[in-house]
Amino acid sequence: MMQLFKQQPKSTRGFTLLELLVVMVIIGLLAAYVGPKYFSQVGKSEIRMAQAQIDALEKALHQYRLDVGSYPTTEQGLAALVTSPNNEPRWYGPYLSKKPPADPWGRPYVYKYPGDQQEFDLLSLGKDGQPGGEGEAADITNW
């Protein structure tokens, strides 16, 4: 007799629906566990990046003061680290290789000279862009 249904070799069989569902559930559980941990690290890395940028800007401002004799005014701002303000004769910059960076949230750093907290104040308003705040929304400062 002729066989109507020929048994396929084991190597060419596919996965059953149940096996696919089990794999999908496992992947979903892993994503639910790892996802929040990953995204909480993104916020922490933005804060660390802002602290590192503030540190680099602070060093450039100190070098500017050594050459010129004072820090740039609030009006001159951080742009004085890249281009000479009012053809300053003792300016030996640029003190940064390119224009001052924005903070990790895309806003310019706040610079004030003379500062309220230190000789000059340099800060990022954090994720929310508002003064104060807590956690990722907290201000990142040079003091």
Side-chain angles (χ1 to χ4, degrees):
M1 257 195 148
M2 188 193 287
Q3 251 183 341
L4 293 176
F5 296 103
K6 191 174 179 184
Q7 189 84 5
Q8 292 185 355
K10 193 170 186 142
S11 63
T12 61
R13 288 186 185 169
F15 294 105
T16 66
L17 183 58
L18 182 61
E19 290 170 330
L20 291 174
L21 287 174
V22 167
V23 169
M24 297 282 284
V25 167
I26 291 171
I27 290 172
L29 289 172
L30 285 172
Y33 178 74
V34 172
K37 292 185 182 295
Y38 170 76
F39 287 111
S40 72
Q41 294 300 320
V42 171
K44 290 177 185 175
S45 68
E46 288 172 333
I47 292 169
R48 279 186 245 123
M49 178 184 284
Q51 290 168 334
Q53 287 176 335
I54 286 174
D55 186 50
L57 290 170
E58 197 172 19
K59 288 177 177 149
L61 285 162
H62 291 313
Q63 185 63 45
Y64 178 97
R65 183 185 57 83
L66 288 173
D67 289 348
V68 175
S70 68
Y71 292 106
T73 64
T74 303
E75 293 76 30
Q76 292 169 332
L78 298 174
L81 298 173
V82 181
T83 57
S84 177
N86 302 326
N87 297 320
E88 174 64 49
R90 294 179 13 196
W91 188 86
Y92 299 111
Y95 301 95
L96 295 174
S97 59
K98 52 188 172 184
K99 72 178 193 161
D103 71 8
W105 301 278
R107 291 182 292 278
Y109 285 97
V110 177
Y111 170 75
K112 183 178 177 188
Y113 176 76
D116 296 328
Q117 304 294 324
Q118 293 206 347
E119 199 167 2
F120 64 86
D121 292 345
L122 183 59
L123 63 123
S124 166
L125 296 175
K127 186 175 186 175
D128 65 352
Q130 303 295 320
E134 296 179 9
E136 290 180 26
D139 298 345
I140 298 116
T141 66
N142 69 323
W143 62 85

